[in-house]
């Protein structure tokens, strides 16, 4: 999805058109529409990200999770890879539960998707706890 489509979806959830959003942000009324052809400046991109409480990486389509950065995505993928490698071990519980046979492609993809979801949720919870600790200080 392109940047304008992502912003349009976020604005729509809040009942705003792109023109209304631009006015609220104090940028040109048609600025966001022009981002289809011309990339936004960093300060305007950050302004939109801050307004919606998402990362600039999310607006740029680099991560499917609104509050994740590209580094967070790398961390999630590494965690999933590590989990899958652990499950491939002949001594692991998952391997034994499958009667010692490898998973077929469909089951492997379902497992990978589930593990990715767990890794994302874990990182989100970790970030939330960290932020709560910082707020208490």
């Amino acid at each position: 999805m392109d940047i304008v489509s992502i912003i349009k979806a976020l604005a729509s959830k809040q009942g705003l058109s792109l023109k209304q959003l631009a006015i609220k942000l104090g940028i040109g009324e048609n600025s966001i529409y022009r981002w289809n052809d011309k990339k936004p400046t960093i300060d305007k991109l950050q302004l939109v990200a801050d307004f919606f409480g998402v990362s600039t990486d999310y607006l740029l389509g680099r991560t499917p999770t609104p509050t994740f950065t590209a580094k967070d995505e790398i961390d999630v993928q590494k965690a999933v890879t590590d989990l899958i490698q652990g499950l491939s071990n002949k001594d692991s519980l998952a391997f034994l539960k499958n009667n010692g046979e490898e998973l077929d492609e469909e089951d492997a993809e379902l497992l990978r998707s589930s593990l990715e979801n767990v890794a994302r949720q874990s990182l989100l919870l970790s970030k939330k706890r960290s932020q709560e600790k910082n707020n208490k200080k």
Side-chain angles (χ1 to χ4, degrees), residues 41-131:
T41 60
I42 293 170
D43 60 323
K44 287 185 180 167
L45 185 67
Q46 189 64 56
L47 191 63
V48 173
D50 290 346
F51 181 84
F52 290 116
V54 300
S55 70
T56 55
D57 281 326
Y58 178 75
L59 294 178
L60 294 170
R62 293 180 179 165
T63 177
T65 307
T67 57
F68 277 14
T69 64
K71 183 194 175 305
D72 293 333
E73 278 302 316
I74 291 168
D75 291 344
V76 165
Q77 296 310 315
K78 183 181 181 324
V80 170
T81 299
D82 290 347
L83 287 167
I84 289 172
Q85 286 176 349
L87 292 173
S88 300
N89 183 333
K90 288 187 180 193
D91 297 326
S92 77
L93 181 61
F95 192 89
L96 295 173
K97 293 246 184 216
N98 200 35
N99 297 322
E101 294 180 23
E102 285 189 43
L103 295 173
D104 64 27
E105 259 186 68
E106 185 178 341
D107 287 342
E109 183 52 38
L110 285 171
L111 179 60
R112 185 184 190 331
S113 178
S114 296
L115 291 173
E116 187 171 325
N117 190 29
V118 168
R120 285 181 190 287
Q121 292 302 319
S122 177
L123 185 54
L124 285 170
L125 286 172
S126 175
K127 284 179 160 220
K128 183 178 177 184
R129 286 184 191 130
S130 178
Q131 189 171 16

